[in-house]
Each structure stands twice: as structure tokens, then as C-alpha cells.
Amino acid sequence: DFTEMMRALGYPRLISMENFQTPNFMLVSEVLLWLVKRYEPHSDIPGDVETEQDRVFFIKAVAQFMATKAHIKLNTKKLYQADGYAVKELLKITSVLYGAMNTQGGERADLPEEDSSKFKFDLGSKIADLKAARQLASEITSKGAVLYDLLGKEVELREARTESIARPLEINEAEKVMKIAINSVLEEVQKTKDMLNNVALDEANLEAKIEKRKLELERSQKRLQTLQSVRPAFMDEYEKIEEQLQKQYSTYLEKFRNLTYMEQLLDDHRRTEQEMFEEAANMLRLIQNRLKEEEQHLLKSGGNDDSDIDIQEDEGSDSEGDVQIMRHRISTEALLQGRVGTRIVGSMQGGDMEED
């Protein structure tokens, strides 16, 4: 029944009785807070239940609220247990809300469609009226208790009242009482007149102060206008310095642009030099490898011939090979030493004569 009622009331979560087989205080506190908010949307019950003291305070606050507002007595010990016994206490609040919802639904069903459309209203807009009605109900209760006490004293006061009524009225005493009442009224009238006179004096003083403030305001405005119209002595120098500053700023911008452009050109030049150096190093490496291969080839070919003629020819060829090797080494060293200098132009073949 509890789960069905909560679902009918519009509780956002699904609840089953298995949730209450073990103590589940977080769920119980959430359900209690939701039911209290459903009953009174503007209730100020704190929802903090982290510590034991906060939980005890929360249970007491909910029980006190339901006892005063809905006249529902809750067992705080069972609610604090947060198990199956707490469901019975929750069912007390849920049954009241569920019965009110069914009663309201039945009354609306009995009305025709036109009448039901007339009586539709937003409960949120009637919160102030509900508070006023509750306040009036509490006042009626207190007044009723006072009236009950007074009616209980009626037996004792009846005799005194009859004696007072039966006693003959004395004209002197009545005249004396009337004079006292008249004098009190005259005194109140005189006090009211004095207060009115004081109000007139206060009004005159205030008007005088207002006029004085107006004159001071006019003088201050005139002084402000004169100060605004006068040109300061340092304005000429200020304008001249401002023009010079503008020129210096334009010069600074031009130099900054030139410096940026020159730095970019310098970076490009360094990049090209690095590329040229890498190309020269690669070429030198290729030449060295080729020279090593030629030397090995010459050494192998020189060891196979034994005749004197071949030896002489080999010696001549060795001398010519040495000359070519030396020239290649000189050209590569010149390339490495003069990275940005003049370029050496030549070929891999020697001339016909040693001088060439």
C-alpha cells in the first residue's frame, strides 16, 4: 500500500519493501523531506543528515512539524530505526495526502466539465491565503480557550454583577467620573494640538534648510562651470608633448618593422648557408669514398705487374694519381674553409702537363 500511494502521489523514485529490510536512513529521510515539502512547500526543515546529531534534529523537526501542522503523531524511535517499522509511521502521512488527493479527485469528478474548469486554480498562488487562514485558525483557538476560561468564572462573577446592577446610581459619583473623563480627553486634545504646532515648526525649519541647500547647490554648479571654462596653464605643453610622443611612436613602429624584416632575412641567409654547408659536406664525403676506391684499385693493379717497363709505367701512373688526389683534397678543403667565400671551379681530370 505504501509503495502504491507514493507512486500515486508522484514520488520520482520507485520504492519496494525490500529497501526497508535493512535500516536505510537516507531513503527514509528523503521520503520524509519529500512528504513535508508536498504538504507545505515553504517549510524550512534542514535536509542535512550526515552526522548522528543532524539525524536526531531532522527526525524531531519533522515530527514537530507534522504534529503542529497536520495533527499527525509520529513515533520518532521507529522513524530513526529506518526499517519496516518506519514504513508504518510514513504510512500515516502518506495516507492523509493520498486521501486528500482522492477526495479532491472525487469532487472534481462529480462536477460538470464547465464547473470544473471554473474551479481550477493554481495552489502556488494561494499560499498567502493559506497562511492567513492558518493564522486565523490559531487565533480562533486561542480566543476560544480564553472564552472557555471566562465562562468558567461566570458563576463567581454573576453575583457581583447583579449586586452592581441592583445598587442605586449616585449622581455625584457619576458626575465626578464624567469630569475625570472629560479632563483626560481635553488633555489628549491639547497634546494633539501641541504636536500639530510642532509639526508646523518642523516643516518651516525643513523648508529653510532646503532653501539653504538649493543656494549652496547653485553656487557649486556655477563654480564648476567656471572651472571647466578656464584652460589650465599646462595644456599647451601637454599637447606639444603628446604630438612628440605620437611621432616617436610612429618612428618606433617603423624601426620595429625594419628590425623584424632584417631578422627574417638573416634567418633565411643562415638557413641557405647551412644547406650549402651540408651539400659541401655530402660532396666531400662522396669524393673521399671515391678516392679511397681508386687508391685501392691502383694498389691492386700495381701488385700484379713484375716487368720493369710496367713498373715504370705504374710509377708514372701512380704519380699522376697522386697529383689528382692532392688536387681533389685541396679543392674540398677550400670548400670547407670558405663557407661563404669564393667558389672553386674545377674538374676531376688533370691537365696534360704537370704545370697545368
Side-chain angles (χ1 to χ4, degrees):
D1 294 336
F2 176 70
T3 57
E4 294 296 331
M5 288 181 183
M6 292 296 292
R7 189 181 297 110
L9 290 173
Y11 188 68
R13 290 178 55 184
L14 294 175
I15 301 175
S16 63
M17 296 307 297
E18 295 178 356
N19 298 127
F20 298 98
Q21 289 181 357
T22 58
N24 192 352
F25 191 84
M26 298 303 294
L27 181 58
V28 172
S29 63
E30 184 179 353
V31 172
L32 278 174
L33 189 61
W34 186 83
L35 290 173
V36 170
K37 291 292 183 182
R38 184 66 185 267
Y39 189 84
E40 179 62 40
H42 295 280
S43 60
D44 54 351
I45 294 177
D48 189 8
V49 292
E50 295 296 331
T51 61
E52 182 179 356
Q53 186 177 1
D54 293 337
R55 294 181 179 182
V56 173
F57 181 75
F58 174 76
I59 294 296
K60 287 183 178 180
V62 171
Q64 185 177 2
F65 175 82
M66 298 308 296
T68 55
K69 298 294 182 180
H71 302 286
I72 299 173
K73 187 176 180 181
L74 299 175
N75 192 339
T76 55
K77 292 182 179 179
K78 292 182 179 180
L79 286 175
Y80 191 80
Q81 289 177 3
D83 53 4
Y85 293 100
V87 177
K88 295 181 180 180
E89 302 299 322
L90 294 174
L91 191 59
K92 296 178 182 179
I93 308 172
T94 309
S95 60
V96 173
L97 295 175
Y98 184 72
M101 186 180 69
N102 289 336
T103 304
Q104 186 178 5
E107 291 177 356
R108 289 185 178 179
D110 296 337
L111 293 173
E113 294 183 357
E114 296 180 357
D115 296 339
S116 63
S117 63
K118 291 180 181 178
F119 289 104
K120 288 180 180 179
F121 63 95
D122 187 9
L123 184 61
S125 63
K126 301 295 181 180
I127 297 300
D129 297 338
L130 290 174
K131 289 183 178 179
R134 290 194 184 95
Q135 186 176 0
L136 290 174
S138 61
E139 289 179 1
I140 290 170
T141 305
S142 61
K143 296 293 183 183
V146 173
L147 182 61
Y148 179 78
D149 295 336
L150 292 175
L151 290 174
K153 297 178 182 179
E154 176 64 18
V155 178
E156 299 176 359
L157 297 175
R158 187 180 300 170
E159 296 178 358
R161 185 171 63 251
T162 55
E163 289 178 0
S164 298
I165 293 171
R167 190 176 59 184
L169 182 62
E170 295 181 0
I171 298 174
N172 294 328
E173 291 182 359
E175 186 179 358
K176 186 177 180 180
V177 172
M178 291 296 293
K179 285 181 179 179
I180 292 171
I182 290 168
N183 290 329
S184 63
V185 171
L186 290 175
E187 288 178 358
E188 290 180 359
V189 171
Q190 188 63 34
K191 287 180 181 180
T192 306
K193 288 181 179 179
D194 294 338
M195 291 174 65
L196 290 173
N197 293 328
N198 292 330
V199 168
L201 293 174
D202 294 338
E203 186 178 357
N205 293 329
L206 289 173
E207 288 180 354
K209 289 181 180 180
I210 290 169
E211 292 294 332
K212 186 178 179 180
R213 295 294 183 185
K214 285 182 179 179
L215 293 174
E216 291 179 356
L217 179 60
E218 290 178 358
R219 286 197 296 269
S220 300
Q221 288 179 352
K222 290 179 180 178
R223 186 177 178 185
L224 178 62
Q225 291 176 0
T226 54
L227 290 174
Q228 289 178 352
S229 61
V230 174
R231 182 180 175 83
F234 59 85
M235 284 301 295
D236 296 334
E237 185 178 0
Y238 174 77
E239 291 176 355
K240 188 183 295 182
I241 293 172
E242 190 175 5
E243 291 178 359
Q244 293 178 0
L245 181 62
Q246 189 68 28
K247 292 179 181 178
Q248 293 293 332
Y249 183 70
S250 60
T251 306
Y252 165 74
L253 287 178
E254 184 179 358
K255 290 183 178 180
F256 182 77
R257 286 195 297 268
N258 294 334
L259 178 62
T260 306
Y261 179 70
M262 294 299 291
E263 288 178 352
Q264 184 179 0
L265 291 178
L266 181 61
D267 293 337
D268 295 338
H269 183 67
R270 287 176 178 173
R271 195 179 300 109
T272 54
E273 283 186 352
Q274 185 67 25
E275 291 176 357
M276 291 174 62
F277 177 74
E278 291 177 356
E279 290 179 359
N282 293 330
M283 188 180 295
L284 177 61
R285 194 178 296 108
L286 292 173
I287 292 170
Q288 289 177 352
N289 293 331
R290 189 178 298 173
L291 290 174
K292 286 180 181 179
E293 291 177 358
E294 290 180 358
E295 287 178 357
Q296 292 176 0
H297 180 68
L298 290 173
L299 290 173
K300 289 179 181 180
S301 62
N304 294 327
D305 296 334
D306 295 332
S307 63
D308 295 336
I309 298 170
D310 293 337
I311 288 171
Q312 292 177 359
E313 290 178 357
D314 291 336
E315 288 177 357
S317 62
D318 290 338
S319 63
E320 291 178 359
D322 293 337
V323 171
Q324 290 180 359
I325 290 168
M326 290 298 293
R327 287 180 180 176
H328 287 302
R329 288 180 179 176
I330 291 169
S331 63
T332 52
E333 289 177 358
L335 285 174
L336 292 174
Q337 291 177 0
R339 292 170 58 187
V340 194
T342 58
R343 298 175 62 185
I344 299 173
V345 181
S347 62
M348 297 296 292
Q349 296 179 359
D352 296 332
M353 297 176 66
E354 292 181 358
E355 294 178 356
D356 296 336

